[in-house]
Amino acid sequence: MVEKRTPLAVAEAVKKVVEQAVPSGAETVNLEESYGRILAEPIVASSDVPPFDRSPYDGFAIRSIDSEGASGDNRIAFKVIDHIGAGEVSVKKLEAFEAIRIMTGAQLPKGADAVVMFEQTKEVEDGITIRKPFLPLENVSLQGEDLQKDEIVIDSGSFINPGTVALLATFGYSQVLVAKKPVVGILSTGTELLSVEDDLVPGKIRNSNGPMIVAQLKRMGLTCEMYGMSVDNLDESYRVVKKAAEETDCLITTGGVSVGDFDFLPAIYEKLGAQVLFNKVAMRPGSVTTVAVANGRYLFGLSGNPSACFTGFELFVRPALLNMMGAQKLYMPHTTATLGEDFTKANPFTRFVRAIYDGQMVSPAGFNKSNAVSSIARGNALIVLPGGSRGYEAGDTVDVLLLGSEEGAARWQL
Amino acid sequence: MVEKRTPLAVAEAVKKVVEQAVPSGAETVNLEESYGRILAEPIVASSDVPPFDRSPYDGFAIRSIDSEGASGDNRIAFKVIDHIGAGEVSVKKLEAFEAIRIMTGAQLPKGADAVVMFEQTKEVEDGITIRKPFLPLENVSLQGEDLQKDEIVIDSGSFINPGTVALLATFGYSQVLVAKKPVVGILSTGTELLSVEDDLVPGKIRNSNGPMIVAQLKRMGLTCEMYGMSVDNLDESYRVVKKAAEETDCLITTGGVSVGDFDFLPAIYEKLGAQVLFNKVAMRPGSVTTVAVANGRYLFGLSGNPSACFTGFELFVRPALLNMMGAQKLYMPHTTATLGEDFTKANPFTRFVRAIYDGQMVSPAGFNKSNAVSSIARGNALIVLPGGSRGYEAGDTVDVLLLGSEEGAARWQL
């Protein structure tokens, strides 16, 4: 008798999984190590940016009032009394019709309130002349115009991108508090599996899911423990899963979650006393995706079919791990695009089609079955076709989730 | 007298830079290390995928011909003569009205040409009955339906994503030929620069460009050598640049490329005998971006202004490094989006505005000046506004380049 499973809607399944996240905690890393991590503290401006009024150009600092009435017929002359390179501060204070030669980024001297660019001046014996009037603060970068001291600039839970690193450097964060990386384990189940090094033998295939998930984790900046490949034997499998579940925050298994005679994971979850969040999702591929939690640890039972395994990781494992790290943006970025070719298969369940998205059009990335491998490599997106439809035609607008984006979206939009 | 520079159009500048790439060569890495690298060989299918006809479901293998005429009123009985788990091969051959219990992924037994799912059967004493006819090849995954032996599956020059890793594993590539990583150096110039650890003092700011570029390289999977922060002194700077240029394939300097009194890079390039590809680009920010080559090595002179520096890296350095690695997709992914707010500044030059893109709308990521830092951290895209326009209004469709995408686009589309 085959067990009857009730499929859960994808959005609900995602929500159920994400809610179970136990925070991974925080640790301090050097600024150089911070790219790609999740901030575990807000970035607070330790100073104004810029920290002082400064010149955005190479030129001459003047008092704008002295430039009043300047024109081509009435050039106004300024005596140049000092020369400031970036990083230097002039001790002089500008008086009437005086100018100070100033370089980009240098602090405006006292008395000055405008900067004349080199190309707006003509050099004369002991100074310059100009042919147009300048307004107060013209060509001045004002202290605090970008950011103000004590302002919260970036929230905790943000992904640290190169710009974030620049901000951290600006404010003197040589050390940064970031989320700890969850400890993730991978266990591939299935007696049909060979190692990458093995020669093919009848009836067997090489394990591609294990290395693929390692790469999916690496794409998130995470590493993992490998628990090898388990045989399809209940006792042995139970022993390995139990050990792995104790040693990790998140154990990802592939295979063994369907209704086959050697699909032991349902029995193992029961024996572990794990709470099964769901064991069937209304999606293709990956409808057998099973997620359980035991002692605050995730147990992801992904399908053994590569495309289903891949999709299950991106839809469920990724946001769960990000939520453990306190990230604000858990989900794949969503957009819409024009379907490049007909997709006529009816969809009783929501379908996630591995696809190539070029910024306007999106087309299936080739052979579309849950056991396909080629389309995972060729695709950079998933087309999402809602369940209950009869198929789609080229030219239809469809939902698209983008793969391989550094940072995701804050909301699940489908 | 200020040197007169002729601005080059962005597309032309990008082309000029990319053309100068000298191949970085290839090296062999273990499969586990291959994610994020650029393939330096095509992936060739060493076998069909699947390698044999197999069952995509848990169920029973039958001869479809025996199911002819089956219905609810006329259930047809099959005798179950064997049981195949995944990875196993049955030695039996199906004869009339025989079935073999078969698990997902297992090789179809001889004589069988269809699979009946568990839920489509009723168990009886020594077998099963079914209530519908099956077509030849119904519920069978055919050998080679995904990929065929000797087929070139992925071209050389492709980015190795998690799906590529799965493919490599499938075909037994325990070692992969990938492009060598170019040796990159960073040199920050400017006497106004402090280290991240330093306290602010009047007239000075902390060096944010150096750490930012390290992160931009890390985002590409690349590391770099740091050549510290140079003082604004010609001889000393020349010595450091010369050494760095000899030790690296690509030296990135920040600052020192404008027309200021301490902007020594133009003089240094000349002294090095470097060929200056351009020293002015018709873009904001970053119009002073200068790119030179000497002895087949890149010398990137990026602006010292953070936003200009960031943009210069993404527009020029990134595709140049990718081209050195033989990558097929050199450029930031392009899309279009609806502008979320007015942008009324006139654009004599093409403007790259750091922006937040949510899949539909795009809006400037805050303070927009070339010396801004905050907008780099907050943005995930660049709005591209062509030169010569008078400004744009909310609701206009604008060009967008996406930041932080794993793989780029093959063509420069702007």
Side-chain angles (χ1 to χ4, degrees), chain A residues 379-391:
Chain A
N380 62 356
L382 298 172
I383 299 172
V384 188
L385 303 176
S389 80
R390 297 299 303 164

Side-chain angles (χ1 to χ4, degrees), chain A residues 308-361:
Chain A
C309 179
F310 176 85
T311 307
F313 182 97
E314 297 294 329
L315 284 182
F316 301 113
V317 182
R318 184 180 162 93
L321 291 171
L322 285 170
N323 207 26
M324 289 181 72
M325 293 190 279
Q328 289 179 340
K329 298 185 176 173
L330 306 181
Y331 307 111
M332 280 179 272
H334 168 263
T335 189
T336 52
T338 306
L339 191 60
E341 54 185 72
D342 294 349
F343 190 91
T344 52
K345 278 192 194 177
N347 294 313
F349 282 178
T350 301
R351 202 177 273 278
F352 293 86
V353 185
R354 294 152 309 290
I356 298 168
Y357 169 65
D358 71 359
Q360 304 290 342
M361 304 282 284

Side-chain angles (χ1 to χ4, degrees), chain A residues 58 83 86 101 103 107 141 146 153 161 170 191 203 206 219 260-261 335-336 359-360 371 373-374 377 404 406, chain B residues 58 83 86 101 103 107 141 146 153 161 170 191 203 206 219 260-261 335-336 359-360 371 373-374 377-378 404 406:
Chain A
D58 300 313
H83 183 175
R101 192 172 172 96
M103 297 301 117
Q107 182 169 339
S141 284
D146 188 3
V153 182
N161 66 32
T170 298
T191 40
R206 296 190 187 90
R219 169 147 88 179
D261 300 337
T335 189
T336 52
Q360 304 290 342
N371 62 6
V373 185
S374 60
E406 189 174 67
Chain B
D58 300 314
H83 183 175
R101 192 173 172 95
M103 297 300 117
Q107 183 169 336
S141 284
D146 188 3
V153 182
N161 66 33
T170 298
T191 40
R206 295 189 188 91
R219 169 147 88 179
D261 300 338
T335 190
T336 52
Q360 304 290 342
N371 61 7
V373 185
S374 60
R378 290 170 179 157
E406 190 174 67

Side-chain angles (χ1 to χ4, degrees), chain B residues 66-71 74-78 97 128-131:
Chain B
D66 298 337
S67 70
E68 253 174 42
S71 71
N74 177 35
R75 297 194 72 101
I76 294 179
F78 289 80
F97 300 100
I128 54 163
T129 64
I130 63 174
R131 53 177 287 168

Side-chain angles (χ1 to χ4, degrees), chain A residues 359-379:
Chain A
Q360 304 290 342
M361 304 282 284
V362 69
S363 297
F367 185 66
N368 180 59
K369 279 197 183 174
S370 67
N371 62 6
V373 185
S374 60
S375 58
I376 317 173
R378 289 171 178 156

